[in-house]
Amino acid sequence: MLVTYIGENNSLQTYGLRFQKDKPIEVKDKKVLDKLKTRDDFKIHESDKPTGQQKGASDTSSPEGGASDANSGEGQTAE
């Protein structure tokens, strides 16, 4: 299940996991999930897809892909 840290710090390490603020990570351990559910600084996503967070992550990877295409195009003209 996906869990997002929504606390005040930029990141937090707890229960052997590192959480970055507003970045969902998958937690498979049921005992850890039960503990995180009791805390106010964590949001548990009942479905495996967080609302709005995953779309933002996909958008940031697109420009990198475009940059790779441009670099490979330059390499072809140099040959």
Side-chain angles (χ1 to χ4, degrees):
M1 193 169 294
L2 292 176
V3 178
T4 302
Y5 172 64
I6 55 173
E8 294 181 13
N9 297 329
N10 286 333
S11 66
L12 176 75
Q13 185 162 346
T14 188
Y15 306 114
L17 299 168
R18 183 172 182 264
F19 295 90
Q20 291 183 359
K21 187 173 182 166
D22 298 326
K23 290 189 177 182
I25 67 165
E26 185 174 4
V27 177
K28 295 181 180 181
D29 189 337
K30 184 173 176 8
K31 290 180 183 180
V32 173
L33 280 170
D34 290 340
K35 291 177 183 179
L36 292 174
K37 285 179 182 179
T38 64
R39 297 182 59 165
D40 293 337
D41 53 349
F42 287 92
K43 180 178 179 182
I44 310 298
H45 304 279
E46 297 303 323
S47 67
D48 285 340
K49 293 182 181 179
T51 55
Q53 294 295 327
Q54 202 165 22
K55 289 181 182 178
S58 297
D59 291 343
T60 57
S61 63
S62 295
E64 291 174 6
S68 297
D69 293 341
N71 289 339
S72 60
E74 291 174 8
Q76 290 176 353
T77 36
E79 294 176 8

